[in-house]
Amino acid sequence: MAGLFITFEGMEGAGKTTLIQKLAAHFSASGRDVLITREPGGSGLGKKLRTIILNAEEKISSSAELFLFLADRAEHIEDVIKPALEQGKIVLCDRFTDSTVAYQGYGRGMDRALLETLNGVAAGGLVPDLTVVLDLEPEVGLSRAKKRNAEQNLTVEEGRFEAEALIFHRKIRQGFLEMAQSGGRFFVVDAMQDAEAVFEQVKRKIENMPETEKQR
């Protein structure tokens, strides 16, 4: 049985974690093996890199930030994602290559063509079967993310991007929406809706994918 690789992208505070958990519960109950993972931090090495990359007090240049994300991705794919797909699992990944283009490209202003090339190297040519983009106003997402970090005592440890100015987050949203205009594997969902409505839309989308239909 072939695996299914689904990635989730969007603004900080868009609700990716909640959606992924609901989808995992649904497909597990349907008899599928599901793996939840994330970037950065999905592998053993990635967990160590995450403590550096997302720490708001760690001074990192844009280039160093980029290569830390790429190192995380290369290890993540070889150690976690590829083995799970080979075992026929549905892999639900919180962020992947599109976040690099949105954050380091649109947000940091790095060359997007170069980022696409580097993504291809780090990912070893692996492309998601479906990319769900959760879209919402940056002001709303940023407020949600800051509140979440404060409640979990993660304002410093996980707060690098939440500490960025609003204009940075507007550029990221623009990036995701422009990438999604290509259609193909992208599926944009209004994340201003309640969590259940978002879940139902994405669940239907996944269930109507050709591979998923074959596996029922």
Side-chain angles (χ1 to χ4, degrees):
M1 181 183 292
L4 194 62
F5 184 33
I6 304 172
T7 58
F8 299 80
E9 302 285 6
M11 306 293 305
E12 305 296 329
K16 297 187 307 305
T17 301
T18 298
L19 173 60
I20 290 170
Q21 290 173 343
K22 290 172 77 69
L23 289 169
H26 170 76
F27 286 107
S28 293
S30 300
R32 288 300 307 270
D33 285 332
V34 180
L35 172 70
I36 294 176
T37 190
R38 66 180 180 177
E39 291 193 354
S43 67
L45 174 62
K47 289 181 175 66
K48 297 175 183 177
L49 292 176
R50 186 180 179 93
T51 64
I52 300 171
I53 296 172
L54 298 186
N55 192 307
E57 294 182 342
E58 193 78 48
K59 302 301 180 185
I60 306 175
S61 69
S62 295
S63 295
E65 179 184 78
L66 167 64
F67 283 106
L68 286 171
F69 274 115
L70 293 172
D72 167 81
R73 179 163 302 128
E75 185 68 15
H76 186 208
I77 289 170
E78 289 302 317
D79 189 48
V80 178
I81 297 176
K82 280 187 177 178
L85 292 174
E86 289 168 0
Q87 294 164 21
K89 295 182 180 181
I90 295 178
V91 177
L92 306 177
C93 186
D94 186 340
R95 298 203 182 282
F96 195 56
T97 53
D98 299 305
S99 274
T100 299
V101 177
Y103 280 73
Q104 279 68 52
Y106 285 83
R108 301 288 191 216
M110 302 184 76
D111 184 88
R112 298 201 287 274
L114 174 61
L115 293 177
E116 294 284 5
T117 298
L118 293 173
N119 268 335
V121 174
L126 181 65
V127 177
D129 296 297
L130 174 69
T131 296
V132 177
V133 178
L134 297 180
D135 180 54
L136 79 170
E137 294 291 339
E139 295 88 340
V140 176
L142 198 54
S143 175
R144 288 180 184 176
K146 287 181 176 179
K147 180 181 178 182
R148 174 201 64 209
N149 284 353
E151 290 174 346
Q152 297 178 13
N153 257 343
L154 295 174
T155 300
V156 173
E157 291 88 341
E158 301 262 328
R160 175 178 302 279
F161 294 112
E162 288 83 352
E164 293 286 348
L166 184 59
I167 185 63
F168 176 80
H169 295 276
R170 287 176 175 158
K171 290 177 181 178
I172 290 168
R173 185 193 189 192
Q174 175 191 354
F176 281 126
L177 292 179
E178 286 188 9
M179 284 187 280
Q181 285 177 359
S182 66
R185 63 182 168 87
F186 289 96
F187 180 58
V188 180
V189 181
D190 179 3
M192 293 295 290
Q193 304 174 89
D194 65 68
E196 191 62 28
V198 171
F199 163 69
E200 287 295 333
Q201 289 176 39
V202 178
K203 181 190 72 172
R204 284 197 300 272
K205 176 66 175 180
I206 296 171
E207 289 179 339
N208 288 329
M209 291 174 66
E211 273 306 308
T212 312
E213 289 179 341
K214 290 178 193 175
Q215 293 164 6
R216 287 181 190 172

